[in-house]
Amino acid sequence: MAAVEAALRWLAGREDGEPLGFLRSAIEEPASESAAVLGALVRPTESMATATPEVRALAVWGLVLDEISRMGPRGESTGPDILNAAFRLGGVDWERILDERFGQSKNLPGVFEVPPPTTTTPMHNAWRRAVSDKFSSCLARKLASLARDGEAWRTYVEIARTSLSGPQGPGRRPLPGGVQPVFLERQLVAVEMRHKTAYRRLTVRNVVACANGVDGYRARALTGWTGALAPMPVKGIFGCRAETRPGAQPGDPLTVDLRFPKPLCEGERHEFVSLACDDDLDQERHWVNVEVDHHGIAPRAVDGEGKVSGGLSVSITFDDCVPEACWWYAEQTDYERVIRPPAGDRRLLEIRRGVVEHTFQGSCRPREEYGIAFHWPRP
């Protein structure tokens, strides 16, 4: 039980991704830090002899979700309320840091006393009791049973899939207005650099329609530096055709609508490919950015051959002009993303044979930005 409790605390305390992504990583990479910490949760899924790492991770996450839903009132807070805050569930716009999420829970109706406490100490106490007294022991018993019966995991796989099937599932933020009515199961971005310019940007998108009659996707590609952005022409390569129109206001960049062959019904899937090219080789890039202006992007998933089958993946190929350093960023301002991480930072990326790539572990949230930044050598 102690190992299960330690795994739960580690998952809740991570700020750089979501639990499902770390569970999958622990299964795919047995020598990783996540595998060492999460072994008590993921090893029992070995009873699913033919299941992929993605399915095994879904099974564990579905079990966690099911056990949280079964928690009853506990002391000064309900078990589900404090666990929802810890694991970013329940449709609340949760902060990234655990203590900040506990601070948010002070004002949730019916959870703590009125007026609410002035510190997060009661929340940490409630979290400790919920995990130590009941949640860990319940999970440990279930895991021991499931380790002997691979078929019994099926129910939990479906619970997890249901929770992720729509943009308003548990753990997702309430959607802001104006987002495009699609959810991306996969987005692959491949950029070819010429000198310091993103010369070609090929993007593969696998979308799920979140409404009826979705007939296209609004694309916008920009080049240059903040304050001096210029539009790049976008072409439809596969599964779409490009229609260009002026921006909403005078001076705004052009907008490209990538029209689908036919309108999609809600829940219908479609894959399409677009290409943006920049002929102005005097422009200098400091990052390759992905803006999430839709219902979000699914967490990382790979197939049996290790190829990315879900989530956001960005790769950049450099020519003879190679950066001194590259690193990934998530949900940061323009200023924050260009600050070079210190040596040994987990965000630093290795450039191999002129190529750098990164696949984001967790889901990507609406109205946030993700990408790879780089630092060029001084002249």
Side-chain angles (χ1 to χ4, degrees):
M1 188 180 81
V4 172
E5 180 178 343
L8 293 171
R9 292 186 182 279
W10 188 88
L11 275 180
R14 299 295 297 196
E15 301 170 21
D16 55 341
E18 297 189 1
L20 186 58
F22 288 114
L23 291 168
R24 186 183 301 113
S25 177
I27 296 168
E28 293 172 345
E29 303 170 24
S32 64
E33 176 193 4
S34 56
V37 179
L38 302 178
L41 297 180
V42 301
R43 276 194 299 271
T45 63
E46 293 174 357
S47 62
M48 306 169 69
T50 61
T52 64
E54 178 183 4
V55 171
R56 290 172 60 188
L58 286 169
V60 176
W61 185 233
L63 175 62
V64 170
L65 295 177
D66 186 59
E67 288 301 309
I68 289 176
S69 71
R70 296 174 183 272
M71 291 281 288
R74 188 77 182 172
E76 63 201 349
S77 71
T78 61
D81 285 321
I82 203 65
L83 292 170
N84 283 341
F87 293 107
R88 309 181 201 187
L89 305 174
V92 176
D93 186 6
W94 294 113
E95 299 290 346
R96 294 168 63 186
I97 299 174
L98 182 63
D99 187 66
E100 293 179 356
R101 297 201 294 277
F102 286 167
Q104 290 176 275
S105 70
K106 291 191 299 184
N107 299 314
L108 294 180
V111 179
F112 291 94
E113 67 266 20
V114 179
T118 57
T119 71
T120 58
T121 299
M123 295 78 189
H124 283 280
N125 291 338
W127 160 241
R128 185 172 60 252
R129 286 194 300 271
V131 174
S132 301
D133 295 355
K134 185 175 182 181
F135 193 48
S136 296
S137 58
C138 290
L139 272 181
R141 287 194 296 270
K142 285 287 184 68
L143 288 166
S145 174
L146 292 163
R148 300 188 295 269
D149 184 3
E151 287 298 312
W153 282 108
R154 290 181 180 272
T155 298
Y156 302 110
V157 174
E158 292 309 312
I159 289 173
R161 281 177 170 160
T162 299
S163 76
L164 299 171
S165 62
Q168 294 286 6
R172 299 190 186 275
R173 294 181 179 182
L175 289 173
V179 297
Q180 301 193 66
V182 294
F183 177 75
L184 269 67
E185 293 184 317
R186 182 179 69 154
Q187 180 169 346
L188 307 179
V189 181
V191 176
E192 176 189 344
M193 301 291 293
R194 289 197 180 177
H195 195 52
K196 298 181 181 180
T197 297
Y199 172 64
R200 288 163 54 93
R201 175 170 170 154
L202 186 74
T203 304
V204 179
R205 297 179 179 91
N206 294 82
V207 302
V208 181
C210 299
N212 289 323
V214 177
D215 63 353
Y217 181 90
R218 185 175 64 253
R220 193 172 64 138
L222 302 174
T223 186
W225 181 251
T226 304
L229 296 174
M232 293 167 57
V234 180
K235 302 177 182 178
I237 301 299
F238 170 79
C240 62
R241 58 180 175 83
E243 292 183 358
T244 303
R245 54 187 175 84
Q249 301 294 331
D252 285 354
L254 297 174
T255 297
V256 178
D257 290 323
L258 299 173
R259 297 296 182 187
F260 303 153
K262 66 180 183 65
L264 304 178
C265 297
E266 183 173 3
E268 190 173 355
R269 289 169 167 80
H270 182 61
E271 178 178 285
F272 60 103
V273 182
S274 62
L275 176 68
C277 296
D278 186 3
D279 294 324
D280 186 357
L281 300 184
D282 292 330
Q283 290 284 0
E284 182 174 308
R285 281 274 188 170
H286 293 263
W287 60 65
V288 168
N289 186 60
V290 175
E291 179 184 358
V292 182
D293 61 350
H294 40 75
H295 285 220
I297 306 175
R300 173 180 178 267
V302 295
D303 61 19
E305 299 178 352
K307 297 179 180 178
V308 176
S309 58
L312 172 62
S313 184
V314 179
S315 68
I316 306 172
T317 302
F318 299 99
D319 56 10
D320 55 350
C321 186
V322 180
E324 289 182 337
C326 293
W327 59 92
W328 62 267
Y329 63 84
E331 303 177 14
Q332 290 186 322
T333 65
D334 292 0
Y335 172 77
E336 292 172 329
R337 70 181 61 159
V338 296
I339 299 175
R340 181 174 177 173
D345 191 284
R346 61 181 178 78
R347 291 174 295 150
L348 289 170
L349 301 172
E350 183 180 358
I351 304 173
R352 299 179 180 178
R353 297 182 179 179
V355 178
V356 65
E357 56 187 356
H358 179 69
T359 301
F360 291 83
Q361 288 281 353
S363 59
C364 299
R365 305 173 187 273
R367 292 297 188 224
E368 297 289 357
E369 299 186 19
Y370 305 79
I372 295 177
F374 22 87
H375 186 273
W376 298 108
R378 293 181 179 180

